[in-house]
Amino acid sequence: MPKHTIRGGKLLKFDYLIFNSIPNEDVLKGIKELHKLIFSTYDNFDNKILSKTKLLVIVAKDGKKVIGYKIGYEIDKNTFYSWLGGVNPDYRGQGIASTLMEKQHQYLKEKRYKLVQTKTMNRWRNMLVLNIKNGFDIIDTYTDEEGLHKIILEKKLLN
């Protein structure tokens, strides 16, 4: 479903695609390249994505180019974990991350999930702010095995 943005007086159209499993090879390659650009690592991406049950992948594209993605999976029949996501730095500030989140939450409501959870860190402040603006509550924090401080957020999905 296209969404339009105006930049520099030019109308831009982005397409949003939803996959209930691992996307096709071209889309997956685009996601991996974008993930590496944003996070500077593949971090065993293929094995991790293959191990998830009830995977949901939402992708924003500009033509054939993957410019944003949001990946999550089911924790249990009531709870969904919003796991990975990001937007190409050249496309930020155009509402792409918000649209990806909106599409994810709409899908989850239609599938009757009651909660969506995610984790972030202070260094990803834009994502932290986006989550809070969209109804997430901070429910806990912890320090992982690598000494990184993590923030756990949760949002109730009202059907």
Side-chain angles (χ1 to χ4, degrees), residues 22-130:
I22 295 174
N24 65 51
E25 192 174 317
D26 288 341
V27 171
L28 187 58
K29 182 180 179 203
I31 292 170
K32 287 168 50 176
E33 288 170 358
L34 182 54
H35 185 80
K36 177 133 173 94
L37 174 69
I38 295 168
F39 300 104
S40 300
T41 181
Y42 285 124
D43 200 29
N44 206 10
F45 188 89
D46 288 334
N47 289 338
K48 286 182 177 182
I49 201 169
L50 287 170
S51 72
K52 305 306 177 193
T53 58
K54 297 219 177 163
L55 190 68
L56 175 64
V57 179
I58 304 175
V59 175
K61 292 181 81 178
D62 184 3
K64 293 185 178 195
K65 181 179 182 179
V66 173
I67 58 169
Y69 70 96
K70 194 152 193 66
I71 302 174
Y73 57 89
E74 181 179 276
I75 294 175
D76 61 44
K77 68 179 184 135
N78 294 314
T79 309
F80 188 86
Y81 183 69
S82 185
W83 176 38
L84 294 171
V87 174
N88 183 307
D90 293 339
Y91 288 83
R92 290 183 184 160
Q94 299 182 57
I96 295 167
S98 295
T99 301
L100 289 166
M101 182 182 287
E102 176 185 306
K103 290 185 176 303
Q104 182 190 62
H105 294 183
Q106 183 59 43
Y107 179 93
L108 297 178
K109 287 176 185 178
E110 290 169 6
K111 297 298 180 185
R112 304 209 182 279
Y113 286 97
K114 301 209 179 332
L115 296 169
V116 60
Q117 293 180 348
T118 193
K119 294 177 192 169
T120 191
M121 295 184 285
N122 268 335
R123 76 183 219 179
W124 306 116
R125 290 186 193 275
N126 289 341
M127 186 50 66
L128 180 58
V129 169
L130 179 66

